[in-house]
């Protein structure tokens, strides 16, 4: 990584495609490998708050969120610190930077050993489902990385929650592994997040097959992805006992497994709109949204 090469690594949310955030060539290689549009900025990963404070400007409110949720599945969007050394391309030229301190022990060890801020989008081709296992990364980006650190399945399984603290009122830009309930009394505009990049565009996170939501059973040819007690014929079940954390951890891997030509589509049973269910439904709605031609 210090030599400017890309390393895929696990976090508790999803696998990231990491490169030295201070090295413009490494950051450019990330965009090229993912075929990601360059107007969509990257999350910069660091080992702790002290390292985060070297690249972003924290006020008391930001420190309070960091104290409560780091290390963990929360990304904070903050004003960039002058001289922080992050490549402009990583921030897509914005005067803000998205920073995250992941909790996964393998990510922590990598960040401490590398001792550079690590720009890392999810390690999938742009517009595809995020990887929650090393094999998913190998399938999509195996020829573009120097190394894939394999630590098994990601325990949270859904990307980090992105909280924008660069304005007067905190705003959730993406629902994720930290629930709105846990964020607490934050004033949020989750129904109409500002479209800032492909991660916020309707058709992101799409499997190849069409996805149908709120299904009670499979239509002919469809694979039924169940939640809770399932009707006969369900192919996979996100969580037989109706546990939202288990469903989040299974979501992307199960969508990948069902995304194959023996089915005509993926039908998904309803998921309750609370806790992690909100983030799950957000990803499912994007997967089911009309695709660009
Ligand atoms: O869980 C995660 O967040 C994973 C792991 C690897 O950390 N990363 C991830 O990165 O999901 P990515 O690139 O797939 O999604 C990052 C999102 C994008 O939607 C991008 O638009 C947004 O973060 N973002 C990055 N910098 C931003 C900024 N300065 N202002 C607003 N949004 C920003
Ligand atoms: Mg992504």
């Amino acid at each position: 990584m210090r030599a400017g090469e890309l390393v895929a690594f696990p976090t508790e949310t999803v696998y990231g495609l990491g490169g030295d955030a201070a090295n413009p060539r490494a950051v450019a290689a990330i965009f090229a490998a993912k075929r990601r549009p360059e107007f969509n900025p990257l999350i910069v990963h660091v080992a702790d708050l002290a390292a985060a404070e070297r690249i972003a400007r924290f006020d008391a409110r930001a420190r309070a969120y960091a104290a409560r949720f780091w290390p963990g599945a929360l990304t904070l969007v903050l004003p960039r610190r002058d001289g922080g050394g992050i490549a402009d391309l990583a921030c897509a030229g914005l005067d803000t930077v998205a920073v995250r301190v992941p909790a996964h022990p393998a990510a922590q060890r990598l960040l401490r050993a590398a001792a550079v801020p690590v720009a890392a989008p999810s390690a999938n081709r742009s517009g595809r489902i995020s990887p929650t296992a090393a094999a998913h990364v190998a399938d999509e980006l195996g020829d573009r990385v120097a190394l894939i650190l394999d630590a098994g399945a990601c325990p949270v399984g859904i990307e980090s929650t992105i909280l924008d603290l660069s304005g007067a009122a905190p705003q959730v830009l993406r629902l994720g592994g930290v629930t709105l309930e846990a964020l607490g009394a934050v004033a949020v505009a989750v129904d109409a997040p500002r479209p800032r990049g492909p991660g916020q565009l309707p058709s992101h996170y799409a499997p190849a097959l069409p996805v149908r939501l709120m299904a009670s059973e499979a239509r002919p040819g469809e694979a039924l992805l169940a939640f809770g007690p399932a009707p006969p014929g369900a192919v996979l079940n996100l969580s037989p006992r109706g546990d939202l954390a288990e469903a989040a951890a299974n979501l992307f891997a199960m969508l990948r497994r069902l995304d194959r030509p023996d089915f005509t589509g993926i039908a998904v049973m309803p998921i309750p709109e609370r806790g992690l269910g909100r983030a799950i439904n957000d990803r499912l709605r994007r997967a089911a949204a009309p695709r660009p031609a």
Side-chain angles (χ1 to χ4, degrees):
M1 208 173 244
R2 286 210 214 99
E5 300 212 47
L6 305 187
V7 174
F9 65 99
T11 77
E12 66 274 34
T13 58
V14 301
Y15 276 75
L17 175 64
D20 180 353
N23 179 339
R25 279 183 305 104
V27 174
I30 293 174
F31 281 92
K34 282 193 60 126
R35 302 208 183 96
R36 178 177 175 117
E38 297 194 351
F39 57 80
N40 191 12
L42 307 178
I43 296 174
V44 179
H45 298 66
V46 290
D48 52 32
L49 176 62
E53 297 228 25
R54 289 195 282 274
I55 61 179
R57 291 205 311 271
F58 283 69
D59 57 12
R61 182 179 69 181
R63 282 195 195 97
Y65 280 106
R68 173 122 179 250
F69 295 104
W70 281 357
L74 184 69
T75 294
L76 299 178
V77 173
L78 293 166
R80 272 169 88 176
R81 182 177 290 286
D82 290 335
I86 302 301
D88 280 331
L89 181 58
C91 303
L94 298 172
D95 54 10
T96 56
V97 60
V99 277
R100 174 170 174 225
V101 175
H104 196 293
Q108 276 287 330
R109 285 204 298 277
L110 172 70
L111 292 169
R112 287 181 194 281
V116 293
V118 172
S122 51
N124 51 283
R125 294 285 171 120
S126 191
R128 308 289 309 186
I129 300 168
S130 291
T132 55
H136 303 164
V137 183
D139 285 347
E140 289 197 25
L141 294 169
D143 55 339
R144 308 302 293 261
V145 293
L147 200 71
I148 300 173
L149 289 180
D150 184 352
C154 300
V156 175
I158 207 153
E159 300 89 341
S160 61
T161 296
I162 302 180
L163 183 65
D164 186 350
L165 296 178
S166 67
Q171 189 177 18
V172 172
L173 301 182
R174 179 178 72 185
L175 296 164
V178 169
T179 63
L180 291 184
E181 289 85 343
L183 281 178
V186 192
V188 287
V190 285
D191 287 329
R194 280 173 274 170
R196 287 255 179 125
Q200 275 81 53
L201 296 178
S203 71
H204 206 58
Y205 305 105
L209 288 180
V211 174
R212 184 168 68 85
L213 305 182
M214 306 295 285
S216 51
E217 58 191 11
R219 294 176 184 158
E222 279 181 341
L224 183 66
L225 180 57
F227 177 80
V235 180
L236 291 174
N237 197 325
L238 290 166
S239 173
R241 61 197 158 95
D243 179 82
L244 291 167
E246 180 180 38
N250 283 329
L251 179 68
F252 291 149
M254 288 188 172
L255 284 175
R256 271 175 197 269
R257 279 168 61 192
L258 296 180
D259 192 19
R260 49 176 208 253
D262 9 348
F263 301 115
T264 57
I266 302 171
V268 190
M269 288 176 66
I271 312 289
E273 185 71 7
R274 61 177 155 76
L276 286 171
R278 282 188 238 266
I280 295 171
N281 285 326
D282 169 79
R283 304 308 187 272
L284 287 171
R285 278 191 289 270
R286 292 172 203 279
R291 315 282 168 83

